[in-house]
């Protein structure tokens, strides 16, 4: 999704790509350069706040940072719960807070949440602990991992994923007023099952069944997500902030309606 978005944003902006894998960075840069997109690369682990600050600093040297489209994240099949939580939740805090500190007026950050952020029952979400992310990182981490502890081990990465993405959605909504005080916008997008390498990893873990039962029974295309991400980051969306846009082919709508019908029957 990040590369597909860079192809659109790169039509009229200089693009800085970030990833932890140099081979993927090099391939993406080559693809963009072939399209005439001016792209530079920075190898950066979003879980390292110092590295993220250096990333934003490097981007600032190329000109005013117009937008950050934060697509870095991992899915349940990619590692244990702590790895998923650190990448998705802590990584989001690191990237957003670095952007908040350096973004110029009119800039925007677009975070990637997930339709999973719309699935957890409220009683399973330690929302009261979420603000610790801004005041006490260690306490935030402990609270998030403590929430995972009661979950059976085999299901823990999936729960950590849903919880981390629920946090991303909460952060993108709750911090809008603070960001606006600096002239910044903040938005999140919640994709459904997207036909990417990471998305297909989850096909046998439940994503395939959800796609089959969706209002639009197919996988989403990276380009469909990219168009939305690029729009959110553009001046056309200047009134859009503090909200999450669910782009899931109707999965959540279908699940919600089926549950209502079942309960009524």
């Amino acid at each position: 999704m990040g590369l597909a978005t860079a192809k659109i944003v790169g039509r009229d902006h200089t693009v800085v790509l970030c990833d932890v894998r140099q081979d993927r960075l090099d391939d993406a840069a080559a693809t963009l350069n072939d399209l005439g997109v001016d792209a530079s690369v920075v190898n950066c682990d979003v879980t390292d706040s110092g590295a993220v600050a250096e990333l934003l600093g490097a981007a600032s040297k190329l000109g005013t940072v117009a937008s950050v489209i934060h697509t870095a994240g991992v899915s349940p099949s990619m590692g244990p719960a702590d790895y998923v939580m650190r990448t998705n939740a802590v990584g989001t805090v690191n990237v957003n807070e670095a952007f908040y500190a350096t973004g110029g007026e009119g800039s925007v950050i677009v975070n990637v949440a997930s339709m999973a952020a719309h699935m957890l029952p409220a009683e399973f979400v330690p929302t009261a602990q979420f603000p610790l992310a801004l005041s006490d990182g260690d306490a935030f981490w402990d609270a998030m991992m403590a929430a995972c502890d009661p979950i059976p081990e085999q299901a823990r990465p999936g729960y950590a994923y849903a919880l981390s993405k629920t946090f991303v959605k909460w952060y993108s909504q709750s911090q809008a007023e603070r960001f606006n005080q600096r002239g910044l916008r903040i938005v999140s997008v919640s994709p459904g099952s997207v036909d990417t390498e990471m998305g297909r990893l989850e096909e046998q873990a439940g994503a395939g069944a959800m796609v089959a039962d969706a209002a639009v029974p197919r996988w989403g295309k990276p380009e469909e997500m990219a168009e939305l991400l690029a729009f959110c980051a553009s001046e056309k969306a200047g009134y859009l902030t503090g909200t999450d846009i669910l782009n899931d082919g109707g999965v959540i709508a279908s699940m919600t309606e089926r549950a209502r019908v079942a309960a009524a029957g």
Side-chain angles (χ1 to χ4, degrees), residues 120-253:
L120 282 182
E123 57 268 27
F124 288 96
V125 181
T127 309
Q129 309 301 315
F130 284 175
L132 289 170
L134 298 167
S135 61
D136 189 335
D138 290 339
F140 170 69
W141 175 256
D142 291 343
M144 295 294 269
M145 294 312 298
C148 298
D149 286 343
I151 307 300
E153 189 169 351
Q154 68 273 17
R156 214 168 286 166
Y159 176 77
Y161 178 80
L163 180 56
S164 66
K165 292 300 189 178
T166 302
F167 170 77
V168 173
K169 178 174 172 282
W170 172 87
Y171 180 96
S172 301
Q173 294 171 331
S174 68
Q175 302 308 302
E177 188 172 345
R178 178 169 70 102
F179 274 52
N180 186 63
Q181 290 171 353
R182 295 204 61 248
L184 308 172
R185 290 193 298 116
I186 177 171
V187 181
S188 65
V189 169
S190 284
S193 297
V194 183
D195 193 3
T196 62
E197 180 183 355
M198 188 174 88
R200 288 291 181 175
L201 279 176
E202 305 304 321
E203 185 169 7
Q204 301 306 317
M210 284 191 290
V211 168
D213 288 339
V216 181
R218 65 168 174 83
W219 288 72
K221 302 173 184 177
E223 294 77 13
E224 291 172 317
M225 299 300 154
E227 290 288 353
L228 177 56
L229 292 167
F231 170 75
C232 290
S234 73
E235 294 180 356
K236 297 175 183 177
Y239 198 54
L240 188 69
T241 194
T243 193
D244 177 81
I245 301 174
L246 178 62
N247 190 13
D248 68 339
V251 169
I252 299 299

Side-chain angles (χ1 to χ4, degrees), residues 82-150:
D82 60 337
Y83 172 67
V84 173
M85 187 68 72
R86 194 175 300 281
T87 303
N88 295 351
V90 177
T92 292
V93 174
N94 289 342
V95 172
N96 281 260
E97 291 302 313
F99 169 76
Y100 176 80
T102 59
E105 186 166 354
S107 301
V108 54
I109 186 161
V110 186
N111 294 306
V112 175
S114 168
M115 67 178 175
H118 296 256
M119 292 181 175
L120 282 182
E123 57 268 27
F124 288 96
V125 181
T127 309
Q129 309 301 315
F130 284 175
L132 289 170
L134 298 167
S135 61
D136 189 335
D138 290 339
F140 170 69
W141 175 256
D142 291 343
M144 295 294 269
M145 294 312 298
C148 298
D149 286 343

